[in-house]
Amino acid sequence: MSPTAVQVVVADDDDDIRDLVELKLTQSGYEVRATANGVEALEDIRRDPPQLAVLDVMMPGLSGIDVLREIRSDEALKGVRVVLLTARSRDTDVDMGFSTGADDYLIKPFSPRELVHRVAALLARSQ
């Protein structure tokens, strides 16, 4: 899967983090659609399913976990890979993310380079 064909939805209510993730993924050749909350992200994902969604866990409206649950319960979205991005680092938080269906979990603060590598690796495994 070449990066130029890959669409990624990024949802984070923190403008700086959302802009950073969007910038790094765009620089890596991905087509990024960024939103500021879970409701907009879910609408976007349902309208035009991306290959990957990067979701902040704690957002107003729908959390990243809520959006993940909706994605995993929708047969039409079963191919969407999900990376959770969060400051919640306790083992129970990580366990909840994976048990809900996350493909990866990255704890803030994070290295933008690591995010790009994880996205590339996840998409490569998904082919």
Side-chain angles (χ1 to χ4, degrees):
M1 188 177 292
S2 75
T4 53
V6 177
Q7 293 186 12
V8 179
V9 168
V10 174
D12 198 309
D13 60 323
D14 182 311
D15 295 342
D16 293 334
I17 292 175
R18 185 178 63 249
D19 291 347
L20 175 64
V21 172
E22 181 177 15
L23 174 69
K24 289 300 182 183
L25 292 176
T26 300
Q27 286 176 338
S28 297
Y30 299 102
E31 183 179 312
V32 178
R33 305 187 317 247
T35 65
N37 64 63
V39 173
E40 290 175 11
L42 186 58
E43 289 171 357
D44 188 337
I45 290 165
R46 284 183 170 150
R47 182 175 47 254
D48 184 14
Q51 284 81 15
L52 178 80
V54 178
L55 306 172
D56 179 26
V57 169
M58 296 173 17
M59 291 184 288
L62 289 176
S63 72
I65 295 287
D66 294 332
V67 175
L68 175 57
R69 281 189 185 112
E70 291 295 319
I71 290 170
R72 293 298 178 243
S73 70
D74 188 333
E75 187 65 25
L77 302 177
K78 70 179 182 179
V80 177
R81 300 288 152 243
V82 177
V83 175
L84 293 177
L85 197 59
T86 182
R88 303 184 88 170
S89 61
R90 293 181 320 188
D91 287 346
T92 54
D93 295 319
V94 176
D95 289 345
M96 184 192 338
F98 282 118
S99 67
T100 305
D103 296 288
D104 206 346
Y105 194 103
L106 198 57
I107 297 167
K108 297 175 187 177
F110 61 93
S111 157
R113 180 176 291 158
E114 181 181 0
L115 172 68
V116 170
H117 288 303
R118 285 185 184 219
V119 164
L122 178 57
L123 291 169
R125 287 192 308 269
S126 301
Q127 290 187 52

